[in-house]
mmCIF file of all heavy atoms in Angstrom:
data_model
loop_
_atom_site.group_PDB
_atom_site.id
_atom_site.type_symbol
_atom_site.label_atom_id
_atom_site.label_comp_id
_atom_site.label_asym_id
_atom_site.label_seq_id
_atom_site.Cartn_x
_atom_site.Cartn_y
_atom_site.Cartn_z
ATOM 1 N N GLY F 58 41.114 83.708 -26.624
ATOM 2 C CA GLY F 58 40.273 84.635 -25.906
ATOM 3 C C GLY F 58 39.223 83.892 -25.110
ATOM 4 O O GLY F 58 39.384 82.721 -24.757
ATOM 5 N N GLU F 59 38.141 84.564 -24.847
ATOM 6 C CA GLU F 59 37.070 84.056 -23.986
ATOM 7 C C GLU F 59 36.313 82.867 -24.570
ATOM 8 O O GLU F 59 35.882 81.979 -23.839
ATOM 9 C CB GLU F 59 36.101 85.212 -23.720
ATOM 10 C CG GLU F 59 34.905 84.891 -22.864
ATOM 11 C CD GLU F 59 33.935 86.051 -22.784
ATOM 12 O OE1 GLU F 59 34.195 87.111 -23.414
ATOM 13 O OE2 GLU F 59 32.904 85.915 -22.111
ATOM 14 N N VAL F 60 36.130 82.846 -25.904
ATOM 15 C CA VAL F 60 35.283 81.829 -26.533
ATOM 16 C C VAL F 60 36.040 81.159 -27.683
ATOM 17 O O VAL F 60 35.579 81.161 -28.817
ATOM 18 C CB VAL F 60 33.945 82.427 -27.019
ATOM 19 C CG1 VAL F 60 33.060 82.787 -25.851
ATOM 20 C CG2 VAL F 60 34.182 83.656 -27.912
ATOM 21 N N SER F 61 37.167 80.554 -27.395
ATOM 22 C CA SER F 61 38.042 80.026 -28.436
ATOM 23 C C SER F 61 37.718 78.599 -28.874
ATOM 24 O O SER F 61 38.200 78.155 -29.924
ATOM 25 C CB SER F 61 39.488 80.084 -27.958
ATOM 26 O OG SER F 61 39.636 79.319 -26.777
ATOM 27 N N ASP F 62 36.915 77.860 -28.117
ATOM 28 C CA ASP F 62 36.626 76.467 -28.475
ATOM 29 C C ASP F 62 35.973 76.389 -29.846
ATOM 30 O O ASP F 62 34.991 77.067 -30.133
ATOM 31 C CB ASP F 62 35.708 75.831 -27.431
ATOM 32 C CG ASP F 62 36.430 75.552 -26.131
ATOM 33 O OD1 ASP F 62 37.676 75.646 -26.116
ATOM 34 O OD2 ASP F 62 35.761 75.246 -25.129
ATOM 35 N N GLY F 63 36.517 75.516 -30.709
ATOM 36 C CA GLY F 63 35.966 75.317 -32.044
ATOM 37 C C GLY F 63 36.563 76.232 -33.091
ATOM 38 O O GLY F 63 36.201 76.146 -34.263
ATOM 39 N N TYR F 64 37.498 77.093 -32.663
ATOM 40 C CA TYR F 64 38.139 78.038 -33.576
ATOM 41 C C TYR F 64 39.662 77.899 -33.506
ATOM 42 O O TYR F 64 40.214 77.607 -32.447
ATOM 43 C CB TYR F 64 37.798 79.478 -33.203
ATOM 44 C CG TYR F 64 36.339 79.833 -33.197
ATOM 45 C CD1 TYR F 64 35.603 79.779 -32.011
ATOM 46 C CD2 TYR F 64 35.700 80.248 -34.359
ATOM 47 C CE1 TYR F 64 34.262 80.111 -31.990
ATOM 48 C CE2 TYR F 64 34.357 80.591 -34.344
ATOM 49 C CZ TYR F 64 33.650 80.531 -33.155
ATOM 50 O OH TYR F 64 32.324 80.875 -33.141
ATOM 51 N N SER F 65 40.296 78.132 -34.644
ATOM 52 C CA SER F 65 41.742 78.255 -34.666
ATOM 53 C C SER F 65 42.108 79.473 -35.511
ATOM 54 O O SER F 65 41.289 79.958 -36.293
ATOM 55 C CB SER F 65 42.410 76.993 -35.241
ATOM 56 O OG SER F 65 42.002 76.806 -36.589
ATOM 57 N N VAL F 66 43.318 79.962 -35.309
ATOM 58 C CA VAL F 66 43.756 81.144 -36.051
ATOM 59 C C VAL F 66 45.174 80.930 -36.563
ATOM 60 O O VAL F 66 45.905 80.074 -36.067
ATOM 61 C CB VAL F 66 43.726 82.433 -35.182
ATOM 62 C CG1 VAL F 66 42.297 82.857 -34.887
ATOM 63 C CG2 VAL F 66 44.532 82.244 -33.904
ATOM 64 N N SER F 67 45.514 81.724 -37.543
ATOM 65 C CA SER F 67 46.891 81.721 -38.027
ATOM 66 C C SER F 67 47.263 83.108 -38.497
ATOM 67 O O SER F 67 46.425 83.856 -39.002
ATOM 68 C CB SER F 67 47.081 80.713 -39.163
ATOM 69 O OG SER F 67 46.330 81.106 -40.295
ATOM 70 N N ARG F 68 48.535 83.411 -38.286
ATOM 71 C CA ARG F 68 49.051 84.700 -38.755
ATOM 72 C C ARG F 68 50.488 84.463 -39.252
ATOM 73 O O ARG F 68 51.442 84.502 -38.496
ATOM 74 C CB ARG F 68 49.040 85.738 -37.639
ATOM 75 C CG ARG F 68 49.284 87.146 -38.173
ATOM 76 C CD ARG F 68 48.954 88.161 -37.146
ATOM 77 N NE ARG F 68 49.222 89.520 -37.600
ATOM 78 C CZ ARG F 68 49.403 90.533 -36.788
ATOM 79 N NH1 ARG F 68 49.363 90.357 -35.473
ATOM 80 N NH2 ARG F 68 49.634 91.734 -37.284
ATOM 81 N N SER F 69 50.573 84.232 -40.554
ATOM 82 C CA SER F 69 51.865 83.936 -41.170
ATOM 83 C C SER F 69 52.550 85.203 -41.681
ATOM 84 O O SER F 69 53.757 85.185 -41.969
ATOM 85 C CB SER F 69 51.697 82.933 -42.305
ATOM 86 O OG SER F 69 50.805 83.464 -43.278
ATOM 87 N N LYS F 70 51.813 86.288 -41.806
ATOM 88 C CA LYS F 70 52.388 87.573 -42.165
ATOM 89 C C LYS F 70 51.611 88.685 -41.471
ATOM 90 O O LYS F 70 50.456 88.489 -41.084
ATOM 91 C CB LYS F 70 52.419 87.786 -43.674
ATOM 92 C CG LYS F 70 51.136 87.441 -44.388
ATOM 93 C CD LYS F 70 51.344 87.546 -45.897
ATOM 94 C CE LYS F 70 50.073 87.157 -46.628
ATOM 95 N NZ LYS F 70 50.221 87.308 -48.098
ATOM 96 N N THR F 71 52.247 89.812 -41.299
ATOM 97 C CA THR F 71 51.693 90.878 -40.486
ATOM 98 C C THR F 71 50.299 91.295 -40.932
ATOM 99 O O THR F 71 49.420 91.536 -40.102
ATOM 100 C CB THR F 71 52.608 92.120 -40.522
ATOM 101 O OG1 THR F 71 53.895 91.771 -40.051
ATOM 102 C CG2 THR F 71 52.045 93.251 -39.666
ATOM 103 N N GLU F 72 50.072 91.338 -42.215
ATOM 104 C CA GLU F 72 48.833 91.930 -42.719
ATOM 105 C C GLU F 72 47.615 91.020 -42.691
ATOM 106 O O GLU F 72 46.501 91.498 -42.836
ATOM 107 C CB GLU F 72 49.036 92.458 -44.145
ATOM 108 C CG GLU F 72 49.489 91.421 -45.157
ATOM 109 C CD GLU F 72 51.000 91.425 -45.313
ATOM 110 O OE1 GLU F 72 51.736 91.630 -44.312
ATOM 111 O OE2 GLU F 72 51.457 91.201 -46.455
ATOM 112 N N ASP F 73 47.801 89.718 -42.500
ATOM 113 C CA ASP F 73 46.675 88.799 -42.564
ATOM 114 C C ASP F 73 46.501 87.993 -41.285
ATOM 115 O O ASP F 73 47.463 87.427 -40.755
ATOM 116 C CB ASP F 73 46.835 87.822 -43.735
ATOM 117 C CG ASP F 73 46.627 88.494 -45.072
ATOM 118 O OD1 ASP F 73 45.790 89.415 -45.147
ATOM 119 O OD2 ASP F 73 47.297 88.093 -46.039
ATOM 120 N N PHE F 74 45.240 87.920 -40.823
ATOM 121 C CA PHE F 74 44.896 87.144 -39.634
ATOM 122 C C PHE F 74 43.691 86.297 -40.017
ATOM 123 O O PHE F 74 42.633 86.831 -40.345
ATOM 124 C CB PHE F 74 44.584 88.096 -38.486
ATOM 125 C CG PHE F 74 44.462 87.458 -37.132
ATOM 126 C CD1 PHE F 74 45.194 86.317 -36.797
ATOM 127 C CD2 PHE F 74 43.638 87.997 -36.162
ATOM 128 C CE1 PHE F 74 45.105 85.748 -35.538
ATOM 129 C CE2 PHE F 74 43.533 87.441 -34.895
ATOM 130 C CZ PHE F 74 44.271 86.314 -34.591
ATOM 131 N N LEU F 75 43.882 84.980 -40.016
ATOM 132 C CA LEU F 75 42.845 84.077 -40.481
ATOM 133 C C LEU F 75 42.160 83.388 -39.306
ATOM 134 O O LEU F 75 42.828 82.937 -38.364
ATOM 135 C CB LEU F 75 43.439 83.009 -41.399
ATOM 136 C CG LEU F 75 44.217 83.502 -42.619
ATOM 137 C CD1 LEU F 75 44.738 82.309 -43.420
ATOM 138 C CD2 LEU F 75 43.361 84.393 -43.481
ATOM 139 N N LEU F 76 40.847 83.290 -39.387
ATOM 140 C CA LEU F 76 40.056 82.577 -38.391
ATOM 141 C C LEU F 76 39.446 81.359 -39.073
ATOM 142 O O LEU F 76 38.759 81.508 -40.088
ATOM 143 C CB LEU F 76 38.950 83.479 -37.837
ATOM 144 C CG LEU F 76 37.987 82.836 -36.840
ATOM 145 C CD1 LEU F 76 38.703 82.549 -35.509
ATOM 146 C CD2 LEU F 76 36.775 83.727 -36.591
ATOM 147 N N THR F 77 39.675 80.179 -38.522
ATOM 148 C CA THR F 77 39.179 78.942 -39.118
ATOM 149 C C THR F 77 38.243 78.213 -38.171
ATOM 150 O O THR F 77 38.566 78.035 -36.996
ATOM 151 C CB THR F 77 40.331 78.025 -39.519
ATOM 152 O OG1 THR F 77 41.133 78.679 -40.519
ATOM 153 C CG2 THR F 77 39.811 76.707 -40.083
ATOM 154 N N LEU F 78 37.115 77.815 -38.719
ATOM 155 C CA LEU F 78 36.204 76.909 -38.035
ATOM 156 C C LEU F 78 36.432 75.556 -38.686
ATOM 157 O O LEU F 78 36.096 75.353 -39.859
ATOM 158 C CB LEU F 78 34.753 77.351 -38.209
ATOM 159 C CG LEU F 78 34.295 78.644 -37.539
ATOM 160 C CD1 LEU F 78 34.973 79.894 -38.108
ATOM 161 C CD2 LEU F 78 32.778 78.766 -37.659
ATOM 162 N N GLU F 79 37.027 74.638 -37.980
ATOM 163 C CA GLU F 79 37.421 73.358 -38.588
ATOM 164 C C GLU F 79 36.218 72.554 -39.029
ATOM 165 O O GLU F 79 36.227 71.908 -40.071
ATOM 166 C CB GLU F 79 38.255 72.551 -37.591
ATOM 167 C CG GLU F 79 39.530 73.243 -37.135
ATOM 168 C CD GLU F 79 40.581 73.333 -38.227
ATOM 169 O OE1 GLU F 79 40.444 72.652 -39.266
ATOM 170 O OE2 GLU F 79 41.552 74.108 -38.043
ATOM 171 N N SER F 80 35.155 72.600 -38.229
ATOM 172 C CA SER F 80 33.922 71.883 -38.528
ATOM 173 C C SER F 80 32.768 72.717 -37.971
ATOM 174 O O SER F 80 32.454 72.641 -36.789
ATOM 175 C CB SER F 80 33.947 70.495 -37.880
ATOM 176 O OG SER F 80 32.747 69.808 -38.126
ATOM 177 N N ALA F 81 32.181 73.519 -38.844
ATOM 178 C CA ALA F 81 31.220 74.513 -38.379
ATOM 179 C C ALA F 81 29.992 73.880 -37.730
ATOM 180 O O ALA F 81 29.498 72.835 -38.177
ATOM 181 C CB ALA F 81 30.787 75.391 -39.550
ATOM 182 N N THR F 82 29.496 74.529 -36.685
ATOM 183 C CA THR F 82 28.271 74.106 -36.013
ATOM 184 C C THR F 82 27.273 75.270 -36.009
ATOM 185 O O THR F 82 27.651 76.433 -36.179
ATOM 186 C CB THR F 82 28.547 73.693 -34.564
ATOM 187 O OG1 THR F 82 28.951 74.846 -33.819
ATOM 188 C CG2 THR F 82 29.637 72.632 -34.483
ATOM 189 N N SER F 83 26.014 74.946 -35.784
ATOM 190 C CA SER F 83 24.981 75.999 -35.816
ATOM 191 C C SER F 83 25.222 77.054 -34.735
ATOM 192 O O SER F 83 24.847 78.217 -34.906
ATOM 193 C CB SER F 83 23.599 75.374 -35.655
ATOM 194 O OG SER F 83 23.520 74.650 -34.442
ATOM 195 N N SER F 84 25.874 76.669 -33.653
ATOM 196 C CA SER F 84 26.155 77.625 -32.573
ATOM 197 C C SER F 84 27.210 78.668 -32.985
ATOM 198 O O SER F 84 27.416 79.658 -32.269
ATOM 199 C CB SER F 84 26.624 76.895 -31.322
ATOM 200 O OG SER F 84 27.867 76.258 -31.555
#
Side-chain angles (χ1 to χ4, degrees):
Chain F
E59 179 186 1
V60 289
S61 60
D62 287 348
Y64 301 95
S65 62
V66 290
S67 66
R68 192 167 178 201
S69 59
K70 46 186 178 177
T71 301
E72 58 265 37
D73 288 326
F74 191 31
L75 304 180
L76 176 70
T77 298
L78 292 66
E79 300 290 347
S80 178
T82 67
S83 58
S84 65

